[in-house]
Amino acid sequence: MKTNSNSYTIIYSIILVVIVAFLLAFIFQALKPTQDINVQLDHQKQILFALNQDRKMTNQQAHKLWNELIISDDIIDKDGNIITKGKRGGVDAAFKLNSKDAKDGKLALFRCKVDGKDKYVIPVYGNGLWGPINGFIAINEDKASVFGVYFNHESETAGLGAEIKDNKVWQDMFKGKKLMDDSKQNIILSVVKKIEDKESQVDALTGATLTSNGVTDMFKSDKGGLKAYLKFLNQK
């Protein structure tokens, strides 16, 4: 075949594309187990951060803490009933749920023990200015106050909306805040521009009004939010 012909160019291009595609697929499959482990570990660390664990922990420390602190990763329904019972250091039940599952009524609940006291970690999902945001709220054994939080985002603006993830000082402001009103029928935890109730409100992030509102929506929504857990929070 003539190397300067159109047929040669087309065939050469097809063969090259096939070879490159094969190599990329091979590399992806070879690296996927490592990628999956890293994604799982990052997820675990976020939950541990909500439990006020050291954010400079190594991967080995995170693995050890996960097995020590996480008593079970249960799946519950909106009535607080257990659908699937998790296990200590579990990653096969609630750990595998996502925002779609939460909106469908399958709620993740991490039962934990920190310094001998019961804690509960709940994942919440919502929307910021540029895309999805999510977080974990660790709740004290009274089921009425915040033990700690950790928030994350996909595409918020650095120095503004991204502060929900990067600003630990701001996240620490949630510690001890009340979740519900006295009737225990309404979520009052919120992020506001002007604080009127110090027991349940946190200052909004400067220059990130929509993202701050998105955090509040994660608390008060019954579709992927804290409100979906009201019946569980009222259980004794």
Side-chain angles (χ1 to χ4, degrees):
M1 184 180 295
K2 295 181 180 180
T3 58
N4 60 350
S5 67
N6 291 335
S7 298
Y8 177 85
T9 301
I10 293 172
I11 293 173
Y12 178 84
S13 298
I14 291 173
I15 293 174
L16 185 62
V17 168
V18 170
I19 292 174
V20 171
F22 173 80
L23 289 174
L24 289 174
F26 175 79
I27 292 172
F28 174 79
Q29 289 300 322
L31 294 178
K32 190 174 187 306
T34 301
Q35 292 172 340
D36 290 343
I37 290 173
N38 289 336
V39 169
Q40 175 177 304
L41 186 59
D42 180 65
H43 193 175
Q44 290 173 316
K45 283 184 175 181
Q46 290 183 37
I47 294 172
L48 292 172
F49 294 159
L51 288 167
N52 300 322
Q53 301 304 299
D54 187 359
R55 298 195 181 189
K56 295 181 181 179
M57 71 179 73
T58 65
N59 291 346
Q60 291 76 14
Q61 289 171 330
H63 180 74
K64 183 173 182 290
L65 282 170
W66 182 260
N67 287 286
E68 288 178 353
L69 303 183
I70 308 302
I71 304 304
S72 65
D73 62 325
D74 297 343
I75 300 175
I76 64 173
D77 61 21
K78 289 187 176 182
D79 292 322
N81 301 315
I82 295 177
I83 299 174
T84 303
K85 181 67 177 174
K87 63 181 181 179
R88 190 177 195 97
V91 292
D92 295 317
F95 190 83
K96 291 186 174 181
L97 299 185
N98 54 33
S99 59
K100 183 180 183 303
D101 294 310
K103 292 175 182 178
D104 289 341
K106 294 175 67 177
L107 308 177
L109 176 67
F110 297 89
R111 300 180 192 271
C112 315
K113 186 82 75 172
V114 179
D115 296 329
K117 296 182 179 180
D118 292 333
K119 309 294 178 185
Y120 308 93
V121 177
I122 289 172
V124 289
Y125 306 92
N127 293 294
L129 175 59
W130 300 113
I133 58 177
N134 65 280
F136 294 98
I137 304 173
I139 298 169
N140 285 307
E141 57 188 344
D142 61 6
K143 295 184 180 179
S145 59
V146 177
F147 178 63
V149 301
Y150 183 80
F151 300 114
N152 202 355
H153 66 89
E154 292 188 7
S155 55
E156 294 304 294
T157 307
L160 297 175
E163 290 291 285
I164 66 169
K165 173 184 177 181
D166 302 330
N167 192 333
K168 183 179 182 300
V169 173
W170 181 74
Q171 292 185 5
D172 285 345
M173 293 179 183
F174 286 87
K175 293 180 182 179
K177 298 297 183 183
K178 288 176 57 178
L179 301 176
M180 301 171 285
D181 61 11
D182 292 338
S183 72
K184 294 189 176 183
Q185 298 304 309
N186 300 291
I187 299 294
I188 57 174
L189 180 65
S190 57
V191 179
V192 297
K193 284 186 176 181
K194 184 179 179 180
I195 291 181
E196 297 178 351
D197 180 5
K198 292 183 179 180
E199 290 188 331
S200 64
Q201 296 176 336
V202 172
D203 276 322
L205 290 163
T206 302
T209 300
L210 292 179
T211 304
S212 296
N213 290 343
V215 174
T216 294
D217 290 342
M218 287 198 295
F219 301 149
K220 300 194 175 184
S221 171
D222 60 358
K223 296 291 185 181
L226 182 60
K227 186 178 178 180
Y229 292 80
L230 264 177
K231 290 188 177 181
F232 165 76
L233 296 174
N234 278 283
Q235 288 179 346
K236 294 183 179 180

